[in-house]
Amino acid sequence: MKTHASFEAKTYSKVDRRLIPFLFLCYILAYLDRVNVGFAKLEMLNELSLSDAAFAMGAGIFFIGYFFFEVPSNILLKKFGARMWIARIMVSWGIISSAMMFVQGEWSFYAMRFLLGIAEAGFFPGIIYYLTLWYPSKIRATRTAWFVSAIAVSGVIGNPVSGWIMDTTSGHMGMSGWQWLFLIEGIPSIIVGIWVFFYLDSSIQEARWLNDREKRLLIKNLDVEDLHKHEVRVIDAFKSGKVYVLSTVYFTLVIGLYGVTFWLPTIIKAFGIKDYSEIGLITAIPYGVSVIGMILLSRSSDRTGERRFHYIFNITAGAVGLILSGVFSTSPILSVIFLSMATVGIIGSIPLFWPIPSAFLTGTAAAAGIGIVNSIGNLGGYIGPNVPIWVKTFSSNPSAALYAIAGILLIGALLVMVFIPESVNTRPSVSFDEEQISRAKSA
């Protein structure tokens, strides 16, 4: 038994080394191209005579295009394979992201953001589904955390880099800093998208870097888990009440994610900081803290097999962090501390959330169900950036938007508490654990 457990641990360690760093890189580029508009806003609004409301509309309209093409994209990924479909997604969004440099005004801004949403639709849920083809749910939260931590790392790396690009390139070849920002940060997505086609394997069976014994082990573990799942067809996903509850929960989480992400540079600038590079360094702090928190929380969730309470506790802590950052908004140090707490609560809840749908969905139902949850949930990406604009109509308190977003997050926590059964929790019954995998990696 001990020998088998060691072999199992080494096999999953091998899969980790092959897949996770590469997927991590892909998502850093995806997320950076999605949210660098928050930095571009600091310069392009004045230059293009855009209002805050127009920016919020453009930032959010990305998710309208995303919504309509999400489920079809995920189903096509299952049909054509991850290698071809993820490559297509990355190349097309890289081209459109770079083309954002040609935006001339309000309507072209809306059009390009909408097209970017169409191009990127299917990437995140596609990867979440792709992970279900390799890992049983009992150990998937930690892998999801390693992947999703790219959101935080893109903030740690991307925000200072974005600030530096805008500071150093403005005026070169007659272009503004925000134009160079879009051009430079879109090109790596195109390059890595081409790399995906040659690197990624669509299934365990295709993986030439695994031997036959390793393949049989991975497939067996997935088959054993699937015996306990009953929702396997596309129609099962559309008929499942739990899918729509989870869609609503994810909707509240995404409102929090993008409500903070798109406006964080503006919040930091309001402290009186003018230098874009300095703004980038300060905005990196909450993301850096969230990387650590996310990994620790996800390892705890995988170790115990508990999902619901981990999510409820963490998202509630995020809401409290938003409230306290608003209360202490006149103190930059305290505000950044509580914004860091909020960021851990919001971003750190993503990998705690995604093992829940796959606890009862498998096969085509998993591809469709994950697509449904992500597409409906990501409509919150349209609401989030607009919350500060809408709140201004009935409150002059600059922190009111933070309080509103905190309330929405708490509603999501309540929905999980009331409607999601404890059966979504998984018991860590596999014959290895994270410590064994860590030892295998160093062996």
Side-chain angles (χ1 to χ4, degrees):
M1 176 65 79
K2 187 173 182 180
T3 301
H4 176 73
S6 175
F7 173 70
E8 225 170 9
K10 288 181 179 179
T11 301
Y12 279 107
S13 175
K14 189 175 182 179
V15 175
D16 290 341
R17 290 194 300 270
R18 173 75 182 188
L19 297 183
I20 300 301
F22 186 71
L23 297 176
F24 176 84
L25 171 63
C26 292
Y27 198 34
I28 284 180
L29 299 177
Y31 200 77
L32 190 61
D33 285 345
R34 182 187 298 188
V35 303
N36 59 7
V37 69
F39 246 94
K41 167 185 181 290
L42 302 178
E43 188 176 77
M44 70 186 296
L45 256 64
N46 288 334
E47 187 168 317
L48 300 181
S49 300
L50 296 177
S51 64
D52 280 342
F55 166 76
M57 175 68 75
I61 206 169
F62 168 96
F63 296 97
I64 304 300
Y66 200 88
F67 170 77
F68 285 110
F69 288 86
E70 188 83 349
V71 175
S73 179
N74 231 31
I75 294 174
L76 289 171
L77 181 145
K78 190 175 188 305
K79 178 179 179 180
F80 292 110
R83 182 171 65 92
M84 179 181 294
W85 200 248
I86 297 299
R88 192 283 306 165
I89 290 174
M90 291 194 68
V91 171
S92 60
W93 99 51
I95 292 171
I96 295 173
S97 182
S98 289
M100 285 283 295
M101 65 182 288
F102 298 114
V103 167
Q104 298 292 317
E106 185 175 325
W107 288 102
S108 59
F109 180 49
Y110 296 161
M112 293 303 295
R113 288 289 296 177
F114 183 77
L115 290 174
L116 187 63
I118 293 175
E120 196 185 321
F123 176 78
F124 179 81
I127 298 300
I128 296 298
Y129 171 68
Y130 183 66
L131 292 176
T132 71
L133 304 180
W134 295 86
Y135 299 102
S137 62
K138 301 174 184 63
I139 61 170
R140 200 179 304 136
T142 301
R143 276 76 191 171
T144 305
W146 292 342
F147 169 62
V148 173
S149 65
I151 295 177
V153 173
S154 71
V156 174
I157 299 173
N159 284 345
V161 169
S162 295
W164 178 81
I165 289 173
M166 289 179 62
D167 274 334
T168 58
T169 62
S170 185
H172 285 272
M173 298 178 65
M175 295 196 304
S176 301
W178 65 268
Q179 292 176 302
W180 281 109
L181 175 66
F182 286 129
L183 174 63
I184 292 171
E185 292 188 349
I187 292 173
S189 295
I190 300 172
I191 296 172
V192 174
I194 296 171
W195 186 10
V196 165
F197 185 80
F198 297 98
Y199 184 87
L200 210 60
D201 297 294
S202 295
S203 66
I204 294 172
Q205 292 88 339
E206 292 182 11
R208 296 180 180 178
W209 44 275
L210 292 171
N211 61 43
D212 289 342
R213 185 186 176 198
E214 290 166 336
K215 290 180 181 179
R216 286 195 298 270
L217 170 72
L218 297 174
I219 292 170
K220 176 186 175 184
N221 284 348
L222 293 174
D223 287 345
V224 169
E225 182 176 74
D226 286 348
L227 290 174
H228 304 288
K229 300 177 183 178
H230 305 289
E231 299 179 22
V232 300
R233 301 169 301 165
V234 171
I235 191 63
D236 292 332
F238 281 95
K239 290 167 60 178
S240 174
K242 291 191 290 290
V243 165
Y244 294 105
V245 172
L246 289 172
S247 297
T248 306
V249 172
Y250 197 56
F251 178 79
T252 65
L253 177 56
V254 171
I255 288 176
L257 176 63
Y258 292 109
V260 172
T261 300
F262 283 125
W263 290 95
L264 188 57
T266 303
I267 294 172
I268 301 302
K269 186 179 181 181
F271 295 154
I273 300 170
K274 304 298 182 183
D275 184 78
Y276 294 139
S277 296
E278 189 175 352
I279 294 172
L281 289 171
I282 295 174
T283 55
I285 294 173
Y287 291 107
V289 174
S290 68
V291 173
I292 300 171
M294 179 187 303
I295 298 298
L296 292 176
L297 285 161
S298 298
R299 292 189 67 176
S300 171
S301 180
D302 270 352
R303 185 174 60 252
T304 61
E306 205 288 323
R307 309 299 187 192
R308 289 173 71 252
F309 181 73
H310 277 77
Y311 182 87
I312 293 167
F313 170 81
N314 197 52
I315 203 68
T316 300
V320 172
L322 283 179
I323 292 170
L324 292 176
S325 69
V327 171
F328 294 100
S329 60
T330 56
S331 170
I333 294 177
L334 287 176
S335 185
V336 170
I337 289 173
F338 290 123
L339 281 171
S340 298
M341 176 180 171
T343 306
V344 173
I346 295 169
I347 297 179
S349 294
I350 298 174
L352 302 176
F353 174 87
W354 279 110
I356 297 176
S358 56
F360 59 90
L361 296 169
T362 189
T364 307
I370 290 169
I372 293 168
V373 171
N374 198 61
S375 61
I376 295 176
N378 266 290
L379 287 176
Y382 175 79
I383 302 297
N386 281 284
V387 168
I389 304 301
W390 297 335
V391 168
K392 283 182 181 179
T393 61
F394 59 84
S395 176
S396 59
N397 185 341
S399 298
L402 297 175
Y403 304 150
I405 292 172
I408 292 169
L409 293 175
L410 291 173
I411 291 172
L414 183 62
L415 288 173
V416 173
M417 184 182 298
V418 174
F419 293 106
I420 302 301
E422 290 188 8
S423 59
V424 300
N425 293 330
T426 57
R427 296 293 170 246
S429 57
V430 287
S431 57
F432 60 92
D433 58 26
E434 293 302 325
E435 291 184 5
Q436 288 177 311
I437 291 177
S438 296
R439 288 196 296 271
K441 287 180 178 178
S442 60

